Amino acid sequence: SRTELLRVTEEDFAAMTGITPSTEPYALLFARKIRERLGTDWAVGETGTAGPTGSRYGHAAGHSCIAVIGPGGERAITVETGSGDRADNMRVFTQRALDLLEQALG
């Protein structure tokens, strides 16, 4: 699972009490864990619902939260496409992640 791959612990989740999955804090947690696990200067984290249906947490299809972490700090955004088209949503999410990374790079 994603949590095993990223080595997300029960303590990590406990610190997020009251915060639902598929949110910016979760994307930031995933980016931090990726950065830590790989020992990189930069990391991108993403969580959401590409479609064609919504999530069990109440997010509609086309919902994504993306985070970028680097030497200059942390940034996170929420993307809502309003579409259930999984492939199109994945393209939009990828483009927005690259845009966010480009902004963070300056």
Side-chain angles (χ1 to χ4, degrees):
S1 81
R2 181 187 309 192
T3 58
E4 291 170 356
L5 177 66
L6 297 177
R7 295 186 182 141
V8 178
T9 66
E10 290 299 320
E11 293 80 24
D12 293 324
F13 286 125
M16 300 185 75
T17 301
I19 300 171
T20 60
S22 299
T23 58
E24 291 179 17
Y26 269 77
L28 285 162
L29 172 64
F30 294 154
R32 284 186 206 106
K33 289 296 184 173
I34 290 166
R35 187 176 182 197
E36 178 183 301
R37 173 124 190 218
L38 299 178
T40 62
D41 291 332
W42 291 91
V44 176
E46 186 274 340
T47 183
T49 306
T53 62
S55 76
R56 63 182 173 194
Y57 306 108
H59 301 288
H63 169 89
S64 177
C65 293
I66 303 161
V68 171
I69 295 178
E74 302 178 346
R75 298 169 183 236
I77 60 169
T78 300
V79 178
E80 300 280 356
T81 68
S83 170
D85 187 310
R86 183 175 180 81
D88 283 347
N89 286 336
M90 291 170 67
R91 280 189 280 281
V92 170
F93 299 162
T94 301
Q95 185 59 57
R96 294 296 301 275
L98 291 171
D99 291 346
L100 189 62
L101 177 60
E102 182 178 43
Q103 290 170 9
L105 289 169

